[in-house]
Amino acid sequence: MKIAVFTDTFLPQINGVTNTLNNLMEYYEANNIEYLIFAPDNDIRKNENYNIQRFFSIKFFLYPECRIAFPNAFRLNTSLSSFKPDIIQIMTEFNIGRAGLRYGKKHGIPTISNYTTNFSQYLNYYNLDFLNNYIWNYMRWFHNQNDLTLCPSEEIRRSLKKEGISNTGIFSRGIDSKSFNPKLRSEELRNQLGINDKLVFLYVGRVSPEKDLDILIDAYKEIFEKYRDKIALIITGEGPYLEKCKNDFPKGTIFTGFKKGKELAQIYASSDVFVFPSSTETFGNVVLEAMASGIPVIGADAGGVKEIIKHGVNGLKFKARNVNELINSMAELIQNKDLRNTLKINGRNTGLNRSWNKVFHGLMDNYNDVLISKKNNSVISA
């Protein structure tokens, strides 16, 4: 099987889509599956690999992790004509995604799209609500032209159905439980950060309004007033909300900036509770990373996160954007060591059962189903 992948975000950018693609490439290579990726350049990398084609791009104002690319039609068509893909996998809905859709339609190649980002929800956080209908009209137009639209969770699948996007399937997410591991807990790191004698809360992710960090600010202020030197908070990540967070979180909050690889894994394992207030996630990769790292998780009962967390079993859930419920969850885990230990053990087991191999085997099943359906429809039409 030959697969052409179209994406408007790619390495070295770090986000849910690029993390998935990085693991997917490893899976393709391990299973001798031929692939060709079409992606934007990023002012750093151009065509560094024979099977990655990059095109001139600019940052997307609403979400800089995605870029607006301007693919060269001649180069793209030449590459695809030579490669002859069996499937076109479209990871994003912007210019490169549209180029993949056009090519698939023109040449009768099955296209599978991915829905990975709740852009319509993000509009509320940037005072752009008036664009909501336009966004959904575009999403319906784009995704309904594909043979299949894959969603990272059943919650998102249901929301797409309500918005008129049909013919959907599930493409979940996995975790490398060797890379994210409780064994990476580092007392040396805790000493360096001055948190060796504290119970440490951790947030990892983009530092931006749509992650509901205003809720975490209010909750942690209340918790800090009560527990003071017994607790600490680490914020790992960067984004447009960073200065506000530095101003509004209590003094002593630790901002590590963006981290990846082993450094990130050590921060997870060296913390005590992961708190993730975002109600806009289509999946929530960081929740799995925290679970695999052996720390209990608190997350909003919304989006993809609500499906990962089983309340009281492998984590705690609070009603989305409810400050009081978040405060209560944080206080409960400060006070109840037995509950923390239970959530740690069950969370780690959740991570162990979410291997990327299992996820990608399911994706291959989706590919094969679409190919068979396309072939059968061609026979009927003939």
Side-chain angles (χ1 to χ4, degrees), residues 21-233:
L21 282 172
N22 190 43
N23 285 285
L24 183 56
M25 285 190 297
E26 291 179 2
Y27 178 86
Y28 286 157
E29 289 167 4
N31 291 275
N32 298 314
I33 296 170
E34 293 185 66
Y35 68 94
L36 182 61
I37 292 178
F38 297 89
D41 66 19
N42 55 7
D43 305 323
I44 300 172
R45 296 185 183 181
K46 305 297 180 181
N47 288 331
E48 76 277 36
N49 191 308
Y50 75 95
N51 56 356
I52 300 173
Q53 295 285 321
R54 291 189 182 263
F55 299 94
F56 172 73
S57 68
I58 58 175
K59 290 180 179 179
F60 177 44
F61 78 99
L62 185 61
Y63 204 73
E65 282 79 0
C66 279
R67 298 178 69 94
I68 302 298
F70 302 91
N72 180 298
F74 177 78
R75 181 156 66 89
L76 187 147
N77 289 335
T78 300
S79 296
L80 285 167
S81 296
S82 174
F83 182 62
K84 295 181 173 59
D86 300 301
I87 288 273
I88 289 176
Q89 172 74 68
I90 301 169
M91 297 298 295
T92 49
E93 303 96 342
F94 296 111
N95 281 6
I96 288 186
R98 290 176 66 170
L101 179 60
R102 281 196 301 270
Y103 190 90
K105 289 291 181 186
K106 183 177 180 180
H107 296 275
I109 300 169
T111 60
I112 297 177
S113 63
N114 260 38
Y115 184 86
T116 56
T117 305
N118 278 325
F119 286 111
S120 62
Q121 281 186 280
Y122 287 11
L123 297 175
N124 301 326
Y125 296 87
Y126 294 91
N127 297 316
L128 295 170
D129 309 58
F130 65 93
L131 293 174
N132 191 57
N133 287 336
Y134 296 100
I135 290 286
W136 277 119
N137 285 338
Y138 178 77
M139 290 295 175
R140 278 188 289 271
W141 171 85
F142 183 88
H143 287 290
N144 283 336
Q145 292 186 72
N146 290 275
D147 295 272
L148 181 66
T149 296
L150 295 176
C151 311
S153 63
E154 287 291 348
E155 179 73 9
I156 299 306
R157 187 178 189 175
R158 286 189 289 269
S159 70
L160 293 192
K161 186 176 180 180
K162 288 179 183 177
E163 294 294 341
I165 297 174
S166 56
N167 198 21
T168 55
I170 296 295
F171 172 27
S172 188
R173 302 294 184 265
I175 187 68
D176 180 352
S177 294
K178 291 183 179 178
S179 296
F180 294 95
N181 195 310
K183 292 179 180 179
L184 291 173
R185 187 176 179 88
S186 169
E187 293 305 319
E188 181 182 351
L189 176 61
R190 287 176 64 90
N191 283 327
Q192 286 175 2
L193 295 175
I195 56 173
N196 55 307
D197 58 346
K198 302 177 189 292
L199 186 141
V200 181
F201 289 97
L202 170 69
Y203 167 86
V204 174
R206 189 167 186 250
V207 184
S208 54
E210 74 273 8
K211 299 298 185 181
D212 292 321
L213 286 167
D214 58 325
I215 300 303
L216 182 56
I217 290 170
D218 291 343
Y220 186 67
K221 280 181 178 178
E222 187 80 19
I223 289 291
F224 187 75
E225 279 296 313
K226 183 175 181 180
Y227 293 97
R228 292 286 174 177
D229 293 340
K230 295 179 181 178
I231 63 170
L233 172 65

Side-chain angles (χ1 to χ4, degrees), residues 306-324:
K306 72 184 294 182
E307 292 182 19
I308 303 173
I309 299 176
K310 292 180 174 60
H311 185 73
V313 178
N314 63 357
L316 297 182
K317 290 189 282 193
F318 66 96
K319 186 177 179 181
R321 295 196 57 78
N322 188 310
V323 176
N324 288 332

